Amino acid sequence: MPVTLTLNGKEQVIDADPDTPLLWVLRDTLGLTGTKFGCGVAQCGACTVHLDGTPVRSCQTYLGDVEGTSITTIEGLESPAAKAIQAAWTELDVPQCGYCQSGQIMAATALLMETPKPTDADIEAAMDGNVCRCATYARIKTAIHAAADKLEG
C-alpha cells in the first residue's frame, strides 16, 4: 500500500510495506544513506531524522505511521540553525570517526530551532541518547554553543 509523505521538502509516494522501519525506506528504497543504522532499538541516535520538526529515531518509526507527515533527513537540512550547526561542527573539528554525526547534527539542529540560546542543561537533555563512541561530547557541546552565538549575533 503506497504511503505519501513530504521528504526533504518534496512530496514522495513510497510503495513499501507499511511495517518497514523508516530507516530502511530512506537508505534502501530511496538511497539516502546519510541516516545511519546504529543499534536498531532507538538507543544510539545515529538514525535520527526530523518528523514534522521533531527529532525521532527512524529505526523504530514505521513507514505506515508517517503517512502525510514531513520528514527531513541530514541531506535535507537547510535552515539557518542547520547551517550554523554544520559550520560549527567543521570549525571546531567535532567529528572523530563521524559515524554518529548525522544523528548528532539532527538533534542539535532541532534543539537550536526550539531553544535558540540553550544552556548546558538544555544541550545535555536534547542530546541525551545520542551516543558517540569516540566521546566527542565536549566538542559537541562547544559547537552547539558556538552555533547559537553565531545565530544570535
Side-chain angles (χ1 to χ4, degrees):
M1 166 157 96
V3 172
T4 303
L5 54 88
T6 301
L7 178 64
N8 295 333
K10 296 178 184 166
E11 187 173 289
Q12 297 273 335
V13 178
I14 302 165
D15 192 12
D17 185 331
D19 291 331
T20 305
L22 180 60
L23 171 66
W24 300 118
V25 171
L26 295 172
R27 291 183 61 80
D28 295 345
T29 304
L30 301 173
L32 297 173
T33 57
T35 303
K36 304 299 182 196
F37 172 74
C39 66
V41 293
Q43 296 297 305
C44 74
C47 68
T48 301
V49 298
H50 294 172
L51 171 64
D52 292 331
T54 301
V56 298
R57 307 301 196 242
S58 64
C59 70
Q60 293 293 304
T61 301
Y62 298 94
L63 180 61
D65 295 333
V66 297
E67 173 81 35
T69 65
S70 179
I71 306 290
T72 304
T73 67
I74 190 76
E75 293 91 347
L77 278 183
E78 295 181 356
S79 70
K83 291 182 186 317
I85 286 288
Q86 290 168 334
W89 247 244
T90 300
E91 290 166 14
L92 296 170
D93 293 320
V94 171
Q96 200 162 321
C97 82
Y99 194 82
C100 69
Q101 294 305 305
S102 61
Q104 301 280 1
I105 288 169
M106 296 300 289
T109 298
L111 168 64
L112 287 187
M113 291 177 77
E114 186 172 306
T115 309
K117 190 69 176 160
T119 64
D120 282 350
D122 294 331
I123 293 170
E124 289 163 10
M127 302 305 289
D128 186 43
N130 285 75
V131 178
C132 177
R133 291 179 180 165
C134 302
T136 64
Y137 301 112
R139 291 194 307 236
I140 289 168
K141 187 185 296 183
T142 300
I144 293 171
H145 282 301
D149 290 346
K150 185 174 188 173
L151 285 170
E152 186 178 63

